[in-house]
Amino acid sequence: MTTSQRTERWGRFVPALVVVAALLVVWQVYVDVAGVRPQILPSPGRVVSQGWSQRDVIAGHAWSTLKVTLLGFALSLVVAWILAVLVDFSPWLRRALVPLFVVSQTLPIIAIAPLMIIWFGFGILPKLLVIALVTFFPMALGLIEGFGSADRDAGRLLRSMGASNTQVFRYVRLPSAMPRFFTSLRIGITYAVVGAVFSEYVGATSGLGIYMSQQKNSFRTDLVLAAVVVTAVISVALFLLTYLAERLVAPWVRADAS
């Protein structure tokens, strides 16, 4: 990548950073001028200072949330790959499972999460299941549609040369699925953090979700917002890591895009 290309890529973030900075300035000025109580709307400066004073506690809760997020997302990723591959090889399974995948997204997580606690207790398993339920659909559907977008002529050519279905899948359908897969991966990883925080709300001893709940009950809006900021930072960091994974696993995707 040339210097101009790097400059152009980073330049895409400038408008968003300008908007965020402007909103923070307006927020700070409004709180200072209107004299809003911190319990109602703390200033950005207070959120940063109070969050920094609680950095060790917040870091411990953030680590708990990150661990649950990665484990739950890994479970979802493995299941999505297995089922998507099976569906690709079996038209009957496609007709049987894809509608169920869609139905799974109609289930209200706000109602399912407490049931997970009732069925599986207060351990890590119900949290992993909530995250998997939230993130499974976009990844599975992205893979299924990615496999289906493969060049049919390339598949026919390989079969005419004696290639098996497994070889066609490996050399044609699997590479074709990578762009859609990584797009769905980026969607899924952000959902995973939200799912982890929500699962902690309904039953946990540590994590950003339970920390925010505790601070909300103590009317510490500043610390709630500090935890929200940390949650956003984790989401953005994991989102950006998917680009690194894409570059390592499927470098041709970025090359084609550029």
Side-chain angles (χ1 to χ4, degrees):
M1 182 182 296
T2 65
T3 303
S4 61
Q5 287 176 326
R6 291 193 185 95
T7 303
E8 181 182 358
R9 174 167 294 184
W10 285 108
R12 297 173 185 172
F13 297 100
V14 172
L17 294 176
V18 170
V19 171
V20 171
L23 290 175
L24 290 176
V25 170
V26 171
W27 179 1
Q28 181 73 45
V29 171
Y30 171 75
V31 171
D32 292 339
V33 172
V36 183
R37 291 189 303 160
Q39 293 85 354
I40 304 299
L41 181 64
S43 67
R46 181 181 176 86
V47 171
V48 172
S49 62
Q50 294 302 309
W52 181 253
S53 69
Q54 290 276 313
R55 59 188 180 276
D56 292 335
V57 177
I58 294 176
H61 286 289
W63 175 241
S64 297
T65 298
L66 181 60
K67 286 191 295 184
V68 172
T69 299
L70 295 179
L71 289 173
F73 191 67
L75 172 64
S76 177
L77 192 61
V78 170
V79 175
W81 267 96
I82 292 174
L83 292 181
V85 171
L86 291 176
V87 164
D88 186 65
F89 275 89
S90 173
W92 185 88
L93 280 178
R94 176 186 292 271
R95 294 191 296 270
L97 294 181
V98 170
L100 296 181
F101 295 165
V102 176
V103 170
S104 70
Q105 297 307 293
T106 66
L107 301 176
I109 300 300
I110 194 171
I112 295 298
L115 293 178
M116 294 289 185
I117 301 298
I118 294 174
W119 294 336
F120 301 105
F122 287 91
I124 193 172
L125 180 58
K127 301 177 186 62
L128 300 185
L129 294 177
V130 169
I131 296 169
L133 187 61
V134 170
T135 60
F136 167 78
F137 179 75
M139 291 188 295
L141 190 62
L143 280 169
I144 292 170
E145 292 185 349
F147 294 147
S149 68
D151 189 340
R152 296 180 182 272
D153 291 335
R156 294 191 189 99
L157 177 61
L158 283 183
R159 288 192 180 90
S160 68
M161 299 170 64
S164 64
N165 288 336
T166 302
Q167 290 173 320
V168 172
F169 176 83
R170 177 182 177 183
Y171 294 111
V172 178
R173 301 179 74 81
L174 183 58
S176 298
M178 289 299 99
R180 296 195 185 190
F181 166 67
F182 278 102
T183 298
S184 61
L185 186 73
R186 284 185 267 278
I187 296 172
I189 195 64
T190 54
Y191 284 177
V193 179
V194 175
V197 171
F198 185 79
S199 69
E200 292 163 353
Y201 263 114
V202 296
T205 57
S206 64
L208 291 172
I210 193 67
Y211 178 80
M212 284 188 274
S213 180
Q214 292 170 347
Q215 301 308 318
K216 174 180 67 67
N217 293 335
S218 301
F219 299 98
R220 291 301 306 272
T221 310
D222 48 2
L223 293 179
V224 173
L225 291 176
V228 169
V229 171
V230 173
T231 303
V233 170
I234 292 175
S235 298
V236 171
L238 294 176
F239 179 86
L240 294 177
L241 282 175
T242 63
Y243 286 99
L244 176 60
E246 184 180 46
R247 183 175 293 277
L248 295 174
V249 175
W252 67 87
V253 174
R254 288 290 99 191
D256 293 342
S258 61

